[in-house]
Amino acid sequence: MSPAQNTHPLEHIRNFAIIAHIDHGKSTLADRLIQTCGGLEEREMSEQVLDNMDIERERGITIKAQTVRLLYTAKDGIEYQLNLMDTPGHVDFSYEVSRSLASCEGSLLIVDASQGVEAQTLANVYMAMENDHEIVPVINKIDLPAADIDSAKEAIENVIGLPADEALPVSGKTGEEIDDLLEAIVKRLPCPTSQDLTAPTKALLVDSWYDSYLGVVILVRVIDGYLAKGQKIRFMGTKATRDIDRVGIFTPKKVMLDQLGPGEMGFITAGIKDISDTKVGDTLTDEKNMCDTPLEGFKPSIPMVFCSLFPIDNGEYEKLRDSLARLALNDSSLIYENENSQALGMGFRCGFLGLLHMEIIQERLEREFDLDLIPTAPSVVYHIHMNNGTMIELYNPVDMPDVVMINEIHEPWIKATILTPDEYLGGLLQLCQERRGEQLNLTYVGDRAMLEYRLPLNEVVFDFYDRLKSISRGYASFDYHVDDYKTEDLVRLSILVNGESIDALAMIVHRSQAERRGRQLCERLKDLIPRQMFKIAIQAAIGGKIIARESLSAMRKDVTAKCYGGDISRKKKLLDKQKKGKAKMRQYGNVDIPQSAFIAALRMGDE
Amino acid sequence: MNKPLSLYIHWPFCLSKCPYCDFNSHVADHVDHDVWLDSFKTELSYFKNTVEGGRVVSIFFGGGTPSLMKPFVVEGILTHIHDLWEVEAGCEITLEANPTSIEADKFQAFREAGINRVSIGVQSLNDQDLKFLGRTHSAQEAIKAIEIADKIFERRSLDLIYARPDQTLQGWEEELTRALKIIKGHVSLYQLTIEQGTPFYTAHKRGDFSVPQSDKGADFYELTQAMMERAGMPAYEVSNHAIKGQESAHNLTYWRYGSYIGVGPGAHGRVSIQGQKHATRIHCAPAIWLERVREKGHGLQACDPLSQEVQQSEALMMGLRLNEGVHIEEINLDKGRLNHLIEEGDLELSLYTLKATPQGRLRLNSVLSYLYG
């Protein structure tokens, strides 16, 4: 079968992304564009049609990229093919965002008329600029009473550095000025510069997800050549070859086509069952007519944040395993492996792209799969340089080798950008200092400060984001990307009960923080562990050195006041019941500690 | 055939229910005393024919409020017991009594019926606390009842409840000092326990009040022990104090894990049937009990044989409450755990006796659960 010409010539195609902060109305605006172009009838519009998952809809976060092909007849009388790319919207997914942006020639930058520019928006704008995007600034939510178009314009000019007079004021909610926006897309954004149909196929794998009917669905942008049904294609990164069995687009309804031509976006399926076979950023080419070089910028996603998840009910281990497998079907960046903790039983050590990713996975496991989980304190990947010259990647503090064999420990550092109203600057500077931060830059835009810091990631995963939000009453925004690894004076802090280490509470901390954190945990456990028959020593230690200690005195009184002839059987039952209760206990030395104490200690770690 | 035997008779009725009490008690408008007497007699006969043992060493009327029984019922029961069994001379025959004037007026009749010891539920010497505990008598009335009892009975005991909500150590010290003036021979001093299924349980859970627990409870207990020792009445059991020779023979049967028959609604027993120790339990509901006794001659709901293992654990559970400890010739216990408890100073082991130390007795539940853990 020979490929057909595109329905729309290249110069009548516009591929664009929408850049916006969470809650700045990206999805609503996208809905309005779809509706205006007739993609869906009024009655078919459910709010935020693009966000499929409940969690995406609720939290206003897009996790998976989506494309929609819109047909728009412009004022010049020509019908244009507009491919709207809805990008994932969070820092954890910055690689995915960069690939989504790479599939487009231009972006709409959405700024909330009442909120101004946020840190994350800025990061994504820079990423769009790196991808040579033409950017149309859009001031959204002008229908709101609090809308301040002038300051939004000022922010666009001063913070982002785009000419403010080019900004378009619109309302995604009421549809005001949507026509002007569509005209601007056509007039101001460039068309794709793809080569013609005869060039060897070169297509970008933008994203992929698992569909229980279709298998893995791959979102693609054709750069050169075409993708057609029946074609044998090669994934240049993973070197796999497959036959395309379906080609289509979203309008946003799924529409099957025979092919996607140069410059076009859509989806294909190719009989793939495992999402990890489809790496975001990979290049697709024709097996028989291969292109010379793959697209630039492909890199496998690397989990940066790790934590262990244990079912509160140990009987739910299998359910947790199956649930993780189900989620991983659609999320190749989620990795997990079996872990057996003395304190918490059987569970999994899981790796995530970042904090939000971790939170979303935990939430989905609890909500969609009805699991009760105990997460351990999040940790990062340390590079342990051994005396013998080898390097070990440490994913779990429990596995840290003996210190005498370690030469250096390196930890990941990030570059963070924080935008905050001036009044919270002092508190945020203090927070960054406490977390071993190094200030890089401090600039002002009106009454907002832009703070750039280098910070150790392990200080950020702990509770940095929550503290940032609480110090700034929710006004500060935060964005980061991983910078490099750096040698630091890091130690493993162990918590011991009666001399035995509690694996689930082990953590790696900077030596300067060890004593404070150790004391905190000891005090906390002292309150949480119920009194026992015997005195319990609770200690925090670095290696063999005790740096903090608490002692829980023995229980003095526990006796039934009245015990006569009629009470024997009842009392006996109570004893048997206590015996059963011990199944939920973990034994440390001669002390039984209820698992609930560890759970509570870990929970409080979030506060 | 003349193994010692104790008899317990349960009278399940009260005029009103106390909010802390989880015993089997009911408030009834009308009780046909003749029917009840017949039923007790029938059930006693049933046991006489079923269980081994012949020499009755103690009889105890408990409840409920057995002082609400008409004296002729008590008399009828005791006569029947004498007809069925050999009753040891000087057999301790106790009746629990509430210290209201109405009940005190019946003391003489109870004496004539055969009662030789009363156990009086004084509970507190503070009127406000008595009210809180749901008691219908005043402190003054209680003292009066004791004076009457002293004229009639040779032996008597009284109950007090301490570690009450909002009670201070000082408050209890002062109250026990006053109480010592009316304590004679024997006294039971109980820490208030919040039992499941009582109005106090709900109120306590709701946070209406709190009671001294753990360390505070231990302080109350230790103060009590010190005061009672000074007064020459050390504890012979966790909550019971007596001058020498005045210990409750009946209750010692329980703690020494002897044989006892329990009759009446909700009563428990430990009896020997064909050489095998059994646990017996009588149906709790008064109406059903009457019906069962009428139809079958007894109200037994369960009569289960006890394994050697269970017998030993029950014997320990009860015996370690006693100052004298438990006589054991063969130890079927985890040696490691036992030794650990001895090292920790909770238990003492001599040739044939295992004893809880004061420290161990104060946390006996934990000691036992560790021992059997």
Side-chain angles (χ1 to χ4, degrees):
Chain A
M1 189 185 75
S2 62
Q5 285 297 324
N6 277 1
T7 50
H8 297 82
L10 278 184
E11 55 272 27
H12 295 159
I13 297 176
R14 298 291 182 273
N15 295 318
F16 67 98
I18 303 181
I19 298 170
H21 187 72
I22 294 166
D23 289 340
H24 281 198
K26 179 180 69 167
S27 298
T28 312
L29 188 66
D31 291 353
R32 203 59 56 219
L33 291 172
I34 293 166
Q35 197 185 13
T36 309
C37 294
L40 287 175
E41 304 288 319
E42 183 96 34
R43 62 182 168 79
E44 293 175 303
M45 295 295 296
S46 65
E47 273 206 33
Q48 303 187 1
V49 274
L50 293 182
D51 294 345
N52 286 325
M53 280 182 265
D54 270 0
I55 274 192
E56 294 195 6
R57 209 169 283 193
E58 240 168 69
R59 300 177 64 145
I61 300 163
T62 309
I63 298 168
K64 291 284 177 187
Q66 294 261 293
T67 66
V68 180
R69 181 184 289 189
L70 304 170
L71 297 177
Y72 172 65
T73 307
K75 286 183 181 151
D76 57 14
I78 297 167
E79 187 188 71
Y80 287 84
Q81 180 194 117
L82 310 183
N83 292 306
L84 184 163
M85 170 66 67
D86 191 14
T87 62
H90 189 271
V91 51
D92 285 353
F93 306 96
S94 64
Y95 173 66
E96 284 72 8
V97 175
S98 82
R99 293 307 85 198
S100 296
L101 293 174
S103 70
C104 302
E105 286 77 36
S107 295
L108 304 182
L109 163 64
I110 314 291
V111 176
D112 189 317
S114 62
Q115 309 255 337
V117 177
E118 304 291 351
Q120 185 196 73
T121 317
L122 209 54
N124 288 351
V125 169
Y126 293 149
M127 209 183 277
M129 287 172 172
E130 279 167 28
N131 279 291
D132 296 324
H133 275 203
E134 226 16 87
I135 297 171
V136 174
V138 177
I139 299 170
N140 194 21
K141 301 196 186 177
I142 56 168
D143 55 298
L144 288 183
D148 184 348
I149 297 173
D150 287 340
S151 24
K153 279 189 172 174
E154 193 191 317
I156 288 167
E157 183 132 356
N158 293 336
V159 183
I160 302 174
L162 292 172
D165 51 8
E166 290 176 9
L168 280 173
V170 302
S171 166
K173 195 167 163 210
T174 62
E176 264 174 273
E177 316 296 341
I178 291 297
D179 287 334
D180 282 357
L181 179 56
L182 284 162
E183 280 301 313
I185 291 168
V186 169
K187 294 271 151 24
R188 285 160 59 178
L189 298 184
C191 66
T193 54
S194 302
Q195 294 179 37
D196 64 29
L197 267 177
T198 56
T201 296
K202 187 186 260 187
L204 173 65
L205 196 163
V206 178
D207 209 343
S208 63
W209 61 85
Y210 186 82
D211 181 295
S212 46
Y213 297 106
L214 303 175
V216 175
V217 176
I218 304 167
L219 209 58
V220 290
R221 156 69 201 272
V222 181
I223 307 293
D224 298 326
Y226 62 93
L227 291 170
K229 227 158 104 175
Q231 186 182 11
K232 194 175 220 40
I233 51 159
R234 168 178 280 264
F235 295 81
M236 296 182 80
T238 59
K239 304 201 166 47
T241 56
R242 297 284 171 159
D243 293 324
I244 295 179
D245 50 25
R246 285 185 200 84
V247 175
I249 55 166
F250 297 99
T251 69
K253 285 179 277 194
K254 219 176 274 154
V255 176
M256 298 300 174
L257 300 175
D258 290 327
Q259 71 165 49
L260 292 170
E264 292 190 327
M265 285 184 185
F267 70 86
I268 61 166
T269 64
I272 299 171
K273 292 274 169 280
D274 190 347
I275 197 170
S276 56
D277 293 340
T278 57
K279 307 276 189 207
V280 170
D282 203 349
T283 304
L284 277 56
T285 189
D286 190 310
E287 174 70 2
K288 289 190 211 118
N289 183 16
M290 280 171 46
C291 63
D292 303 335
T293 50
L295 295 158
E296 285 173 16
F298 174 57
K299 60 172 186 189
S301 62
I302 308 161
M304 293 305 299
V305 177
F306 283 76
C307 85
S308 304
L309 298 176
F310 296 94
I312 285 183
D313 174 357
N314 289 334
E316 289 199 321
Y317 168 77
E318 310 244 306
K319 190 175 167 195
L320 174 59
R321 187 190 59 202
D322 295 346
S323 305
L324 280 166
R326 285 275 298 280
L327 289 183
L329 261 185
N330 222 345
D331 185 348
S332 56
S333 42
L334 168 66
I335 61 165
Y336 59 98
E337 68 177 37
N338 179 45
E339 182 179 359
N340 199 349
S341 155
Q342 199 205 345
L344 300 172
M346 299 268 281
F348 292 93
R349 187 73 182 169
C350 304
F352 310 94
L353 290 175
L355 284 172
L356 181 86
H357 188 213
M358 177 173 77
E359 236 177 81
I360 289 173
I361 295 292
Q362 282 177 20
E363 204 173 313
R364 291 189 65 186
L365 286 169
E366 297 199 330
R367 192 187 308 185
E368 294 170 31
F369 298 94
D370 199 24
L371 285 157
D372 261 335
L373 297 175
I374 319 159
T376 59
S379 170
V380 300
V381 182
Y382 297 94
H383 289 174
I384 313 278
H385 294 264
M386 308 292 285
N387 286 331
N388 64 10
T390 56
M391 192 272 275
I392 296 170
E393 289 190 343
L394 183 71
Y395 298 96
N396 192 339
V398 173
D399 302 327
M400 188 156 118
D402 193 332
V403 276
V404 298
M405 291 154 67
I406 297 173
N407 182 22
E408 281 182 340
I409 304 177
H410 293 224
E411 67 172 336
W413 280 63
I414 59 163
K415 249 186 195 153
T417 307
I418 298 167
L419 275 174
T420 176
D422 189 30
E423 58 204 287
Y424 308 117
L425 183 64
L428 292 174
L429 283 170
Q430 199 189 335
L431 174 68
C432 290
Q433 287 310 123
E434 276 169 15
R435 302 303 171 95
R436 300 189 279 134
E438 297 166 2
Q439 191 178 321
L440 298 175
N441 210 351
L442 172 59
T443 47
Y444 275 91
V445 188
D447 61 351
R448 284 157 70 86
M450 185 167 87
L451 198 53
E452 287 170 83
Y453 254 90
R454 257 170 63 80
L455 285 156
L457 181 59
N458 93 335
E459 299 283 347
V460 175
V461 294
F462 189 51
D463 61 353
F464 183 84
Y465 193 67
D466 293 338
R467 298 271 301 121
L468 174 112
K469 283 292 174 193
S470 101
I471 288 170
S472 68
R473 295 164 189 254
Y475 284 113
S477 61
F478 165 74
D479 186 86
Y480 73 88
H481 62 267
V482 174
D483 201 17
D484 59 0
Y485 269 77
K486 195 174 147 191
T487 175
E488 286 289 341
D489 189 7
L490 298 168
V491 293
R492 182 175 69 179
L493 181 67
S494 315
I495 301 297
L496 302 110
V497 171
N498 276 359
E500 282 187 47
S501 166
I502 296 174
D503 52 8
L505 296 179
M507 61 172 87
I508 288 177
V509 293
H510 195 261
R511 194 180 292 278
S512 64
Q513 313 265 14
E515 201 182 314
R516 185 176 58 85
R517 294 281 284 279
R519 183 164 305 131
Q520 253 178 17
L521 262 168
C522 287
E523 283 168 9
R524 197 175 283 167
L525 277 172
K526 187 187 169 185
D527 291 338
L528 290 169
I529 299 176
R531 287 245 197 130
Q532 304 281 322
M533 280 288 295
F534 312 109
K535 192 170 143 185
I536 299 175
I538 304 164
Q539 297 164 313
I542 300 172
K545 190 177 159 234
I546 305 296
I547 54 165
R549 76 176 77 223
E550 289 285 337
S551 101
L552 179 64
S553 53
M555 176 202 306
R556 282 170 62 201
K557 181 180 174 291
D558 175 26
V559 64
T560 311
K562 283 189 181 187
C563 194
Y564 297 104
D567 304 305
I568 302 182
S569 304
R570 196 166 51 159
K571 185 86 196 305
K572 188 84 200 342
K573 255 185 218 152
L574 200 78
L575 262 176
D576 292 342
K577 205 169 130 196
Q578 275 175 353
K579 213 173 186 173
K580 265 194 206 135
K582 280 187 184 162
K584 290 215 163 177
M585 307 268 217
R586 309 282 160 179
Q587 216 181 6
Y588 285 87
N590 51 30
V591 175
D592 294 312
I593 297 178
Q595 194 177 304
S596 58
F598 300 125
I599 297 170
L602 286 165
R603 288 243 164 97
M604 286 169 80
D606 305 342
E607 281 160 20
Chain B
M1 267 308 279
N2 60 348
K3 276 190 192 158
L5 183 66
S6 290
L7 302 179
Y8 176 80
I9 295 104
H10 191 83
W11 180 260
F13 300 110
C14 290
L15 285 180
S16 60
K17 284 214 71 165
C18 300
Y20 57 87
C21 174
D22 71 333
F23 279 39
N24 183 32
S25 63
H26 304 262
V27 177
D29 293 336
H30 175 75
V31 176
D32 187 333
H33 286 243
D34 290 301
V35 172
W36 277 80
L37 171 58
D38 282 347
S39 301
F40 280 125
K41 283 163 74 175
T42 307
E43 196 165 51
L44 281 164
S45 298
Y46 169 81
F47 276 103
K48 162 67 189 169
N49 295 329
T50 313
V51 314
E52 291 154 21
R55 191 164 48 94
V56 174
V57 293
S58 73
I59 301 167
F60 196 100
F61 290 85
T65 312
S67 51
L68 294 176
M69 292 167 94
K70 291 191 173 158
F72 83 86
V73 178
V74 175
E75 187 177 1
I77 290 170
L78 290 175
T79 307
H80 191 65
I81 290 170
H82 278 87
D83 289 347
L84 295 173
W85 283 282
E86 172 200 345
V87 177
E88 199 176 57
C91 172
E92 175 189 286
I93 305 174
T94 308
L95 179 122
E96 285 184 327
N98 271 350
T100 66
S101 52
I102 304 161
E103 283 152 298
D105 286 347
K106 290 156 81 181
F107 283 176
Q108 186 59 42
F110 285 136
R111 173 78 199 120
E112 282 156 18
I115 299 295
N116 56 28
R117 182 175 180 269
V118 281
S119 173
I120 303 170
V122 176
Q123 317 309 9
S124 170
L125 292 181
N126 293 335
D127 285 342
Q128 215 176 332
D129 289 355
L130 284 170
K131 215 168 188 179
F132 177 78
L133 293 171
R135 308 295 291 175
T136 54
H137 58 86
S138 67
Q140 197 47 50
E141 214 174 345
I143 290 167
K144 208 146 191 191
I146 291 164
E147 283 167 4
I148 295 170
D150 280 344
K151 285 183 194 136
I152 296 170
F153 300 102
E154 200 179 312
R155 296 173 67 196
R156 54 92 171 160
S157 177
L158 51 93
D159 288 1
L160 288 171
I161 294 176
Y162 70 106
R164 302 189 292 259
D166 304 323
Q167 192 175 33
T168 60
L169 279 173
Q170 205 186 352
W172 170 234
E173 189 174 5
E174 179 269 325
E175 188 177 343
L176 184 55
T177 307
R178 275 198 287 146
L180 277 168
K181 293 187 187 125
I182 52 165
I183 289 170
K184 200 183 82 184
H186 191 282
V187 65
S188 304
L189 302 169
Y190 302 114
Q191 287 208 5
L192 177 62
T193 309
I194 307 298
E195 301 283 1
Q196 230 166 335
T198 62
F200 268 10
Y201 186 81
T202 321
H204 183 253
K205 216 165 182 185
R206 204 166 48 210
D208 291 359
F209 60 81
S210 65
V211 289
Q213 277 166 332
S214 60
D215 272 2
K216 199 74 198 292
D219 291 343
F220 268 92
Y221 187 82
E222 279 166 4
L223 169 70
T224 307
Q225 302 315 301
M227 288 178 71
M228 294 310 290
E229 270 164 39
R230 270 202 304 278
M233 287 176 80
Y236 68 99
E237 190 263 357
V238 173
S239 305
N240 283 276
H241 301 257
I243 57 170
K244 220 161 172 49
Q246 289 296 308
E247 297 88 353
S248 161
H250 186 82
N251 290 337
L252 279 173
T253 299
Y254 298 143
W255 296 318
R256 288 174 178 160
Y257 204 51
S259 290
Y260 57 97
I261 289 169
V263 298
H268 288 248
R270 289 289 181 280
V271 294
S272 182
I273 302 174
Q274 293 171 350
Q276 163 71 50
K277 194 149 187 158
H278 281 69
T280 64
R281 181 160 48 92
I282 309 288
H283 208 289
C284 284
I288 296 175
W289 179 74
L290 285 176
E291 196 185 301
R292 294 273 167 91
V293 172
R294 195 171 59 235
E295 285 169 4
K296 294 160 65 180
H298 64 83
L300 272 177
Q301 197 173 30
C303 180
D304 304 318
L306 298 170
S307 68
Q308 285 297 324
E309 196 191 345
V310 171
Q311 285 184 44
Q312 189 196 291
S313 70
E314 290 190 344
L316 272 186
M317 207 173 79
M318 299 306 278
L320 289 176
R321 297 180 67 84
L322 288 171
N323 217 9
E324 63 185 31
V326 193
H327 180 80
I328 38 175
E329 291 179 18
E330 198 183 334
I331 299 177
N332 294 313
L333 291 166
D334 182 317
K335 292 271 158 45
R337 286 176 179 265
L338 180 62
N339 284 332
H340 192 218
L341 288 167
I342 292 169
E343 280 163 31
E344 286 286 330
D346 289 301
L347 295 178
E348 281 170 7
L349 184 66
S350 58
L351 192 51
Y352 290 126
T353 308
L354 183 64
K355 259 167 72 165
T357 63
Q359 171 195 306
R361 201 176 314 143
L362 187 45
R363 49 187 194 148
L364 188 58
N365 293 355
S366 298
V367 168
L368 288 165
S369 101
Y370 178 77
L371 202 54
Y372 284 100

